[in-house]
Amino acid sequence: MSELKDRPVGVVGAGRVGTALAVAMVRAGYRLIGISARSPESRKRASLRLPQVPQQDALALAGRSQILFLTVSDDAVEPVATHLAENGGIAPGQYVVHTSGVLGLDALGAARRCGAVPLAIHPAMTFPGAESDADRLSGLAFAITTPAAARPIAERLVD
């Protein structure tokens, strides 16, 4: 297994959770190649907190990411994963991660059918959207749901 930090990481969803996780990943040395935001508020948040990270179209970003976080709203996880899978944004061996606390791996079924490895990693915290959200992730409890073989990957991402 190659070093996770060397793999290109993309974040689809620059809301409060996605932006905080992206900031924390950059600080931890991950190679964040882009973030995708739809709303003006999310685009602004990403620009302010991650000025060095390009904002990109979700499909293009997904296609370039070996680790793809879907940090969209709970009701959007499955439709976004399906859209990306049906349009060539998901590849075999790619790690596709959602952060919903209410959804299991079934929400990533379309990604799994493309050969991706589904992961659910949910931080046990409320994200108010503050600049300090990323700081609060250190030492935080996370719920993890993965296929058994992928558990070490999920644990390393949380660490």
Side-chain angles (χ1 to χ4, degrees):
M1 169 181 2
S2 69
E3 178 57 43
L4 284 179
K5 291 183 180 182
D6 294 335
R7 297 180 186 202
V9 177
V11 176
V12 174
R16 295 176 299 206
V17 175
T19 302
L21 289 175
V23 168
M25 293 188 80
V26 168
R27 288 178 182 169
Y30 280 85
R31 193 161 69 96
L32 187 64
I33 62 167
I35 192 163
S36 176
R38 288 185 56 189
S39 75
E41 180 183 350
S42 292
R43 286 192 295 274
K44 181 178 179 183
R45 180 184 298 110
S47 292
L48 290 172
R49 303 217 176 113
L50 297 156
Q52 74 283 20
V53 177
Q55 293 188 36
Q56 300 178 30
D57 169 76
L59 185 58
L61 179 59
R64 296 179 46 237
S65 302
Q66 290 180 7
I67 302 170
L68 180 66
F69 280 82
L70 302 181
T71 55
V72 297
S73 63
D74 294 345
D75 62 341
V77 171
E78 188 168 0
V80 168
T82 299
H83 170 76
L84 296 174
E86 290 176 349
N87 290 283
I90 305 294
Q94 182 180 34
Y95 295 104
V96 179
V97 184
H98 79 65
T99 57
S100 169
V102 299
L103 300 174
L105 296 179
D106 288 348
L108 300 174
R112 184 189 308 219
R113 288 187 293 279
C114 288
V117 179
L119 308 170
I121 299 175
H122 176 67
M125 125 179 183
T126 299
F127 290 80
E131 204 168 320
S132 62
D133 285 353
D135 300 330
R136 296 173 50 219
L137 291 169
S138 181
L140 188 71
F142 282 72
I144 296 174
T145 305
T146 69
R151 182 144 184 105
I153 297 296
E155 290 174 351
R156 285 179 54 206
L157 288 170
V158 168
D159 286 343

